[in-house]
Amino acid sequence: MSGELCAWWPELHHGPGISHRFFLLGLKHQQFFETGLHETGLRIWPFNFFFVQFLWSKPELVTGRTCLELGAGVGVLSVAAVVLKPSLYVATEISTRCRKLMAINMAMNTCSADVAVVSSLKFSKRDAQSFVEGQQSQLFGFHSAQPLPKGKYSMIMGCEIVYEDVVV
């Protein structure tokens, strides 16, 4: 991976006197433009932190549920959502580089491999069908060799997943 990774230590609050400090790796904003990788998921996008605060204000959306995140990038939302104790949290990303970095971020933040899963998901009808049937490979979590559970997710979310060059 070309470009210089930046370490982030955000402290996020959810409730009076309750906070968590995370350790995250992501591409520096200026490095994103210099690398020419055009993998926007390597960049830590600011809106993720607002979405985390929203989820933490409504923990019932995640706690005890089977959750699916689309386009998770380096896993900012994923790492923070696992704090809310979902029964299973599957973070998907099309970019191999992002998935590797997300798996590192999950491990560094001691996300349980029995709860948090990093998996690939391409956006097509055929790929989505095989994903729902549990036929995707994982980099992190769910004992890595087992298929994902079949069935429906009770919470599907995505943050900063629509990208246009002109917007950035």
Side-chain angles (χ1 to χ4, degrees), residues 7 19 25-26 40 43 64 68 75 82 94 114 130 133 136 155 158 168:
S19 66
L25 293 175
T40 59
R43 182 176 173 185
L68 173 66
V82 171
I94 194 170
D114 291 327
S130 67
E133 292 171 1
Q136 291 291 318
M155 177 66 166
V168 175

Side-chain angles (χ1 to χ4, degrees), residues 2-65:
S2 59
E4 185 179 332
L5 290 175
C6 183
W8 305 77
W9 293 277
E11 182 173 4
L12 301 171
H13 303 275
H14 62 106
I18 303 171
S19 66
H20 282 85
R21 181 165 297 281
F22 298 95
F23 182 79
L24 300 164
L25 293 175
L27 202 59
K28 287 184 176 180
H29 293 277
Q30 66 270 23
Q31 289 292 321
F32 169 77
F33 295 104
E34 294 169 9
T35 61
L37 288 173
H38 300 290
E39 290 188 62
T40 59
L42 292 170
R43 182 176 173 185
I44 294 183
W45 293 83
F47 191 74
N48 278 282
F49 297 108
F50 292 106
F51 197 1
V52 167
Q53 293 289 4
F54 169 76
L55 282 182
W56 283 1
S57 72
K58 300 186 179 306
E60 66 276 6
L61 295 175
V62 175
T63 304
R65 293 179 172 240

